[in-house]
Amino acid sequence: MSTHPEFDELTERFFQDVDRIFSTEAELLQFAIEPFSEERRLSLRAYLSLIASDDFDGKELLNLWNDSKAQWLFHSAPPLRLLLNKFRDRL
């Protein structure tokens, strides 16, 4: 599966130690989605709904994330799904 342009941009915001800049998870979530327009948020929300669903293969999800520009790595799908669902719900 090819990646989605907004997903690529979202993952770029997960550089090393980004979580140390913000004091709450809500601030981190807001930082990650703030550059997206309403139209792009809808597009990203739809993509996150697809890849974060339990129907989407966990190994493929890990590959999508770990091959992205994110410097955060995940070793199992459940915590990644949880994070992506939080983003989706914020959008």
Side-chain angles (χ1 to χ4, degrees):
M1 170 184 261
S2 62
T3 58
H4 190 274
E6 283 80 14
F7 181 76
D8 287 339
E9 190 173 334
L10 175 72
T11 62
E12 285 179 335
R13 300 182 73 77
F14 283 86
F15 52 86
Q16 186 176 351
D17 296 332
V18 69
D19 55 325
R20 295 178 184 215
I21 296 172
F22 304 101
S23 59
T24 67
E25 181 181 77
E27 289 174 349
L28 174 62
L29 294 172
Q30 185 58 37
F31 165 76
I33 64 171
E34 69 186 1
F36 298 104
S37 67
E38 188 63 33
E39 180 180 331
R40 294 178 72 218
R41 286 179 185 213
L42 291 173
S43 177
L44 180 57
R45 181 180 173 86
Y47 185 73
L48 292 178
S49 291
L50 170 70
I51 66 171
S53 76
D54 289 334
D55 296 332
F56 196 81
D57 182 69
K59 186 173 181 171
E60 190 172 351
L61 176 61
L62 286 172
N63 288 338
L64 274 175
W65 181 269
N66 291 334
D67 290 343
S68 75
K69 296 177 182 180
Q71 293 180 359
W72 289 16
L73 294 181
F74 285 86
H75 300 288
S76 66
L80 177 55
R81 282 188 208 285
L82 180 63
L83 177 68
L84 295 177
N85 281 321
K86 288 179 181 183
F87 281 112
R88 184 204 59 217
D89 293 347
R90 275 275 194 179
L91 293 165

